């Protein structure tokens, strides 16, 4: 009912009977209440984070501004040391020499400046944030009064502090009582707040709001009426359902139900593999790895494409038929029927106007938008595109259409030359934001000083995209690695997944082990990462530089059932993995479940790192998987061309449509290219050309030079294709041979 209400304009709802109209309105009101609550809490979290970020920037700027004074003070300090050293060397009176060489009065005049510089340098982040208390005071009272906060802890001091602040704002009081709840704050914050005896209102309120921010993010505190900010248990499958599945042996996870048995097996495996690695390292028998001063160093993997493969790729690229992108989409639809998956929100019927549906998809993919797409199209009006997008384009229909194209690509015989569909990679691609979107965009200095968004996508080893979602460029990609493996409906059975360092964390390693899949990231600065062991580090003397903290087995066993519950909730799609990972990773102290998952992840990361050092095949496989994703970014950039490829949509939903349309059109291009690669190879072999499969593995389906992506889009053209396919472009020599 919410989806239908989203799509139904007021004039159409007027034709519904009263009961149906009322039901849609009530559903919309409930959804709107949850959305406004979530948005308000998310905005509070963002504003408080910005408060401390700006405080840190001000501190850095002050350091920059006082560099001349700092240099002057350091010069005087050096002169003082030199004078004292001279007095000591020649047995002279130190104060006389100091007064003569530096000047006692000059030193005393410098004292206030030095005190100010030291005070600025040692300023607490809380004190700096409290300098902008006026900005916080504008919204803090209204925010606290608007919502009801809950906690799993009995007599939570943070809730008592919030209640006190609510009362102060309601009564417009400026001073705190002599006794206030403080056990929710750190010792350093308490000392600062009570530095002058009585508690400082500004410092206390900022510290309490910062604690509330952290605990909202970690789900230690939740908000009544919210959908996103709920207790962790409410995100997971019901505990009774989990218990029943465990008792009946239906969890289907990658670990045993008995934690002791699993840890015993992991201990034996880790000990054996570490000893094997230490022996190979001592004897210099590690391919592409050397041991220098007790440190293992991996030689970077160089991926080289045979010259013959590059020549063949150029030849096949010249054989692609020329095609306009509307015709390409219609042909892929004729082969797969993917547009039929954009079903009507209420009736479930396939779209009657396929061309208008495809135009809407291309409007998202090219970043044109429906109105500009209609202006650039022949045979399609803005009303037709708008109607199809309103009633047929939703996240689930985009996902179904994506699965249709990806499944057809997976089943195509030629795609099996690139892989068997059991491995995949994921990576984020940054797009700048402009206009109104820039005001809500986040800035990550890794991508420059301009705001933007990232499209995080998953790609199979067969070049088949199967998931994409927009994320903030400041967010950790590791939280979203598992989302793509479960938020998709393809026939792909992914068993091994590759990422770069940004997608890796111990929590992700732990979850991959629990769900029974293999995680293989390319880790930067691998030599600085430690193995975590069950035994004492001296058992592996050759690797002593690489041994870190021991595994806390007690913590894992105490929370074994909770770990299984978490993993089962992910595999049954009861919860989105990123929802839980973000909550487990943001708490400043960390929940016990988060710590247990980290300990389990350390075991899996240690086993993976051992294999990385031992297996050059694993390193090559990971590098090849990531190279495919990075190469596909160029095709996405070419398709997402309008407005210089800048995102101008402010809402997450609109950005998700852009990302989904882009993924779908790129997948259609990849599948279309694959079909014609296979036809080109068949033609070359028919004229007695010997083309081995090991060369075809290097022929990428990511070309787009033969596709007209811009200009006037014609949707009503009739194509009469012989046997349903276009003719290859053949050189004169190939035509004579044929």
């Amino acid at each position: 009912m919410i989806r239908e209400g989203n799509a139904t304009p007021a004039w159409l709802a007027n034709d519904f009977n009263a009961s149906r109209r009322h039901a849609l309105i009530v559903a919309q009101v409930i959804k709107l209440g949850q959305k406004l609550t979530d948005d308000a809490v998310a905005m509070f979290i963002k504003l408080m984070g910005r408060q401390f970020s700006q405080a840190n920037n001000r501190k850095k700027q002050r350091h920059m501004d006082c560099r001349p004074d700092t240099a002057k003070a350091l010069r005087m300090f050096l002169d003082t040391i030199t004078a004292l050293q001279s007095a000591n060397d020649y047995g002279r009176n130190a104060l006389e020499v100091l007064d003569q060489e530096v000047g006692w009065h000059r030193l005393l005049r410098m004292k206030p400046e030095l005190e100010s510089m030291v005070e600025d340098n040692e300023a607490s982040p809380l004190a700096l944030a409290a300098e902008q208390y006026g900005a916080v005071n504008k919204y803090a009272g209204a925010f606290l009064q608007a919502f009801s906060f809950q906690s799993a802890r009995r007599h939570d001091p943070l809730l008592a502090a919030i209640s006190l602040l609510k009362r102060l704002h309601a009564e417009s009081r400026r001073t705190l009582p002599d006794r206030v709840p403080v056990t929710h704050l750190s010792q350093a914050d308490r000392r600062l707040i009570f530095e002058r005896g009585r508690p400082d209102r500004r410092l206390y309120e900022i510290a309490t709001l910062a604690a509330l921010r952290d605990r909202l993010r970690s789900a230690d505190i939740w908000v009544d009426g919210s959908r996103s900010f709920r207790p962790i248990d409410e995100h997971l499958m019901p505990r009774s359902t989990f218990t029943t599945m465990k008792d009946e042996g239906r969890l289907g996870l990658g670990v045993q139900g008995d934690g002791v048995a699993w840890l015993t097996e992991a201990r034996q495996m880790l000990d054996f593999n570490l000893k094997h690695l230490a022996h190979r390292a001592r004897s210099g028998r590690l391919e592409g790895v050397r041991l220098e001063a007790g440190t293992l160093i991996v030689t970077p993997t160089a991926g080289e494409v045979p010259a013959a493969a590059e020549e063949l790729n150029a030849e096949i690229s010249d054989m692609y038929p020329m095609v306009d992108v509307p015709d390409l989409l219609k042909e892929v639809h004729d082969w797969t029927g993917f547009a039929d998956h954009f079903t009507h929100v209420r009736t479930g019927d396939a779209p009657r106007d396929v061309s208008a549906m495809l135009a809407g998809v291309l409007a998202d993919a090219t970043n044109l938008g429906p109105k500009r797409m209609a202006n650039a199209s022949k045979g399609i009006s803005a009303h037709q595109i708008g109607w199809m997008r309103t009633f047929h384009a939703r996240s689930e229909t985009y996902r179904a259409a994506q699965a249709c194209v990806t499944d057809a690509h997976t089943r195509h015989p030629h795609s099996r030359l690139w892989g068997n569909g059991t491995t995949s990679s994921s990576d984020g691609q940054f797009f700048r934001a402009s206009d109104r979107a820039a005001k809500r965009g986040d800035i990550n200095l890794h991508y420059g000083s301009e705001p933007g968004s990232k499209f995080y996508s998953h790609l199979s080893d067969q070049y088949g995209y199967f998931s994409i979602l927009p994320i903030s460029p400041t967010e950790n990609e590791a939280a979203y690695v598992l989302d793509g493996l479960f938020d998709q409906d393809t026939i792909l059975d992914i068993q091994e997944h590759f990422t770069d360092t940004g997608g890796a964390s111990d929590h992700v390693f732990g979850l991959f082990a629990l769900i029974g899949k293999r995680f293989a990231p390319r880790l930067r600065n691998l030599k600085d990462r430690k193995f975590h062991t069950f035994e004492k580090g001296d058992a592996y003397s050759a690797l002593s530089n690489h041994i870190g903290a021991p595994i806390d087995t007690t913590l894992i066993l105490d929370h074994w059932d909770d770990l299984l519950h978490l993993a089962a909730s992910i595999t049954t799609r009861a919860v989105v993995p990123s929802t839980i990972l973000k909550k487990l990773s943001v708490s400043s102290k960390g929940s016990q479940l988060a710590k247990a998952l980290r300990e389990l992840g350390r075991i899996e990361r240690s086993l993976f790192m051992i294999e990385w050092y031992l297996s050059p095949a694993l390193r090559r496989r990971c590098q090849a998987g990531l190279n495919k994703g990075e190469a596909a970014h160029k095709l996405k950039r070419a398709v997402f061309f309008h407005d210089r490829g800048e995102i101008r949509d402010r809402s997450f939903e609109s950005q998700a449509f852009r990302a989904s349309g882009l993924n779908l059109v790129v997948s259609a291009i990849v599948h279309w290219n694959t079909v014609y690669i296979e036809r080109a190879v068949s033609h070359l072999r028919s004229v007695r050309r010997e083309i081995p499969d090991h060369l075809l593995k290097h022929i990428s389906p990511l070309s787009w030079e033969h596709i007209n992506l811009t200009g006037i889009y014609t949707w009503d053209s009739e194509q009469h294709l012989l046997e349903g396919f276009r003719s290859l472009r053949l050189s004169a020599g190939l035509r004579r041979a044929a």
Side-chain angles (χ1 to χ4, degrees):
M1 287 195 296
I2 288 173
R3 289 168 182 160
E4 185 177 1
N6 289 341
T8 303
W11 61 265
L12 182 58
N14 192 49
D15 294 337
F16 297 167
N17 62 49
S19 297
R20 181 176 171 192
R21 234 184 0 259
H22 291 162
L24 287 180
I25 292 172
V26 169
Q28 285 293 308
V29 169
I30 294 172
K31 174 226 175 184
L32 182 60
Q34 292 179 337
K35 182 179 185 303
L36 291 176
T37 300
D38 289 346
D39 287 350
V41 176
M43 182 60 68
F44 165 76
I45 289 173
K46 191 170 185 178
L47 287 172
M48 287 305 302
R50 184 179 296 172
Q51 187 83 5
F52 282 85
S53 176
Q54 290 175 346
N56 186 49
N57 291 338
R58 287 198 304 275
K59 184 176 181 178
K60 291 180 180 178
Q61 187 60 46
R62 288 173 187 174
H63 287 170
M64 296 291 292
D65 294 342
C66 70
R67 277 193 303 177
D69 295 333
T70 304
K72 181 181 175 182
L74 289 174
R75 170 56 63 182
M76 181 172 289
F77 183 55
L78 177 61
D79 292 343
T80 301
I81 292 176
T82 303
L84 293 175
Q85 184 181 20
S86 174
N88 183 67
D89 292 343
Y90 295 100
R92 299 171 59 189
N93 184 285
L95 290 178
E96 291 179 359
V97 174
L98 186 62
D99 188 40
Q100 180 182 350
E101 299 292 334
V102 180
W104 181 253
H105 295 291
R106 184 180 166 208
L107 279 172
L108 292 179
R109 285 196 305 270
M110 181 62 71
K111 183 182 176 184
E113 294 183 31
L114 289 174
E115 289 175 342
S116 176
M117 290 167 60
V118 170
E119 185 178 345
D120 285 345
N121 186 61
E122 295 178 349
S124 163
L126 174 59
L128 293 170
E131 292 176 357
Q132 300 295 319
Y133 172 75
V136 176
N137 192 45
K138 291 179 180 178
Y139 63 82
F143 175 76
L144 295 177
Q145 295 287 354
F147 302 108
S148 176
F149 302 95
Q150 305 293 334
S151 172
R153 306 178 191 177
R154 295 185 62 187
H155 310 298
D156 194 325
L158 178 56
L159 293 188
I162 291 172
S163 178
L164 171 63
L165 292 175
K166 281 185 179 182
R167 189 166 64 253
L168 293 177
H169 279 284
E171 298 172 359
S172 300
R173 292 169 54 190
R174 296 186 178 182
T175 58
L176 291 169
D178 291 337
R179 300 187 63 181
V180 294
V182 294
T183 52
H184 62 288
L185 303 175
S186 67
Q187 289 289 347
D189 287 347
R190 292 185 214 176
R191 284 194 297 270
L192 188 63
I193 291 168
F194 288 92
E195 189 174 26
R196 298 178 182 177
R198 288 180 58 83
D200 186 296
R201 164 68 184 273
R202 296 185 311 152
L203 295 173
Y204 182 78
E205 184 164 349
I206 294 291
T208 298
L209 293 175
L212 175 61
R213 169 186 181 266
D214 290 341
R215 298 204 29 207
L216 281 169
R217 295 175 69 204
S218 63
D220 288 339
I221 294 281
W222 60 90
V223 182
D224 287 344
S226 171
R227 183 173 179 84
S228 299
F229 299 95
R230 296 179 289 161
I232 284 184
D233 284 348
E234 290 189 16
H235 288 282
L236 306 180
M237 68 162 60
R239 179 68 70 166
S240 58
T241 305
F242 163 72
T243 303
T244 302
M245 292 178 64
K246 183 183 177 185
D247 293 341
E248 296 175 356
R250 295 189 291 109
L251 291 180
L253 301 177
V255 297
Q256 306 170 32
D258 184 355
V260 175
W262 184 85
L263 277 175
T264 301
E265 184 179 330
R267 178 193 295 266
Q268 295 172 351
M269 185 182 304
L270 185 58
D271 179 60
F272 176 82
N273 288 349
L274 276 172
K275 289 178 178 176
H276 180 55
L277 176 63
H279 173 71
R280 296 284 293 272
R282 280 196 306 268
S283 58
R285 294 165 53 200
L286 292 174
E287 183 180 341
V289 181
R290 63 187 186 277
L291 184 65
E292 289 186 2
T295 301
L296 293 170
I297 300 176
V298 180
T299 303
T301 303
E304 296 183 359
V305 178
E310 292 183 349
E311 294 174 2
L312 180 61
N313 188 37
E315 183 177 5
I316 290 178
S317 295
D318 290 339
M319 296 174 67
Y320 284 126
M322 302 298 291
V323 63
D324 292 332
V325 68
D327 294 332
L328 183 149
L329 292 176
K330 286 193 285 187
E331 289 171 27
V332 174
H333 168 68
D334 290 340
W335 301 339
T336 64
F338 76 89
D340 294 337
H341 290 272
F342 287 96
T343 54
H344 192 278
V345 65
R346 183 170 60 86
T347 66
D349 295 338
R352 296 179 180 178
D353 191 340
V354 172
S355 294
M357 189 70 249
L358 295 178
V361 171
L362 188 60
D364 285 329
T366 57
N367 201 28
L368 273 168
K371 291 183 179 178
R372 290 191 182 93
M373 175 56 68
N375 292 336
S377 296
K378 288 183 178 180
I380 297 292
S381 67
H383 175 74
Q384 289 174 293
I385 297 176
W387 182 272
M388 287 296 152
R389 281 175 53 85
T390 299
F391 289 97
H392 293 266
R394 307 182 299 281
S395 59
E396 61 269 22
T397 56
Y398 255 125
R399 187 169 63 243
Q402 179 68 62
C404 179
V405 176
T406 302
D407 288 349
H409 181 73
T410 302
R411 294 188 184 100
H412 195 277
H414 192 86
S415 68
R416 294 170 191 162
L417 293 173
W418 295 309
N420 56 11
T422 60
T423 68
S424 62
S425 64
S426 60
D427 193 18
Q429 185 174 11
F430 179 78
F431 293 92
R432 290 192 305 273
S434 60
D435 291 346
R436 293 178 298 173
K439 297 178 181 178
R440 295 191 61 181
D442 295 322
I443 297 174
N444 185 337
L445 293 179
H446 177 74
Y447 302 104
S449 59
E450 296 180 348
S453 182
K454 275 200 296 191
F455 289 172
Y456 193 72
S457 52
H458 288 64
L459 181 72
S460 77
D461 53 10
Q462 299 172 325
Y463 292 97
Y465 275 106
F466 56 91
S467 174
I468 192 169
L469 69 160
I471 65 174
S472 167
T474 59
E475 288 189 283
N476 190 345
E477 292 181 0
Y480 297 93
V481 170
L482 277 162
D483 282 16
L485 299 181
F486 290 95
D487 187 26
Q488 51 97 7
D489 302 318
T490 69
I491 61 173
L492 291 168
D493 182 21
I494 303 299
Q495 296 299 318
E496 183 176 43
H497 188 71
F498 308 117
T499 70
D500 57 15
T501 303
S505 73
D506 287 343
H507 287 156
V508 176
F509 269 106
L511 281 179
F512 264 88
L514 288 169
I515 65 177
K517 296 184 185 295
R518 178 176 169 79
F519 184 47
R522 180 182 61 193
L523 297 174
R524 185 173 56 248
N525 298 329
L526 185 65
K527 62 184 177 62
D528 298 326
R529 297 177 182 265
K530 304 296 185 182
F531 299 116
H532 297 276
T533 64
F534 295 91
E535 312 299 338
K536 293 183 178 180
D538 54 10
Y540 321 101
S541 56
L543 304 174
S544 58
N545 289 358
H546 292 272
I547 303 300
I551 300 296
D552 187 347
T553 56
T554 303
L555 187 62
I556 295 175
L557 291 176
D558 288 347
H559 295 275
W560 187 251
D561 260 16
D562 294 330
L563 293 170
L564 297 182
H565 185 200
L566 171 59
S569 299
I570 290 174
T571 56
T572 57
R573 302 190 183 188
V575 64
V576 178
S578 61
T579 300
I580 295 299
L581 278 171
K582 286 190 286 188
K583 294 184 182 301
L584 293 179
S585 61
V586 297
S587 178
S588 57
K589 296 181 179 179
S591 68
Q592 293 300 104
L593 177 60
K595 292 177 181 177
L597 182 60
R598 183 194 62 192
E599 291 298 308
L600 192 148
R602 285 177 169 179
I603 297 174
E604 291 301 316
R605 176 171 56 79
S606 298
L607 289 169
F608 165 75
M609 287 169 55
I610 294 170
E611 186 174 358
W612 186 270
Y613 285 120
L614 289 170
S615 174
L618 171 62
R619 300 196 292 270
R620 288 193 294 268
R621 194 164 69 247
C622 177
Q623 186 67 45
L626 293 176
N627 286 346
K628 290 179 181 178
E630 291 168 359
H633 285 344
K634 298 177 183 178
L635 174 56
K636 284 189 173 180
R637 186 71 66 181
V639 173
F640 198 75
F641 66 85
H642 190 65
D643 286 332
R644 298 176 297 174
E646 295 177 347
I647 295 174
R648 302 198 175 187
D649 302 287
R650 290 186 296 173
S651 71
F652 174 84
E653 184 179 13
S654 297
Q655 290 186 14
F657 275 1
R658 291 282 191 262
S660 298
L662 178 60
N663 227 30
L664 183 56
V665 169
V666 167
S667 297
I669 290 173
V670 167
H671 184 56
W672 192 93
N673 286 347
T674 301
V675 169
Y676 282 96
I677 289 174
E678 193 268 342
R679 292 181 65 79
V681 171
S682 297
H683 178 80
L684 292 174
R685 285 174 172 169
S686 70
V687 295
R688 301 181 181 180
R689 281 279 299 279
E690 184 178 349
I691 303 177
D693 286 348
H694 74 268
L695 289 183
L696 289 177
K697 290 182 180 179
H698 299 283
I699 308 303
S700 164
L702 300 174
S703 301
W704 70 88
E705 292 81 1
H706 55 289
I707 303 171
N708 182 19
L709 296 171
T710 61
I712 300 299
Y713 300 108
T714 303
W715 297 96
D716 55 0
S717 61
E718 291 290 334
Q719 297 290 332
H720 301 286
L721 305 179
L722 183 63
E723 298 179 352
F725 298 100
R726 295 173 180 268
S727 300
L728 297 171
R729 289 184 293 159
L730 303 178
S731 63
L734 282 174
R735 284 198 297 271
R736 284 195 298 271

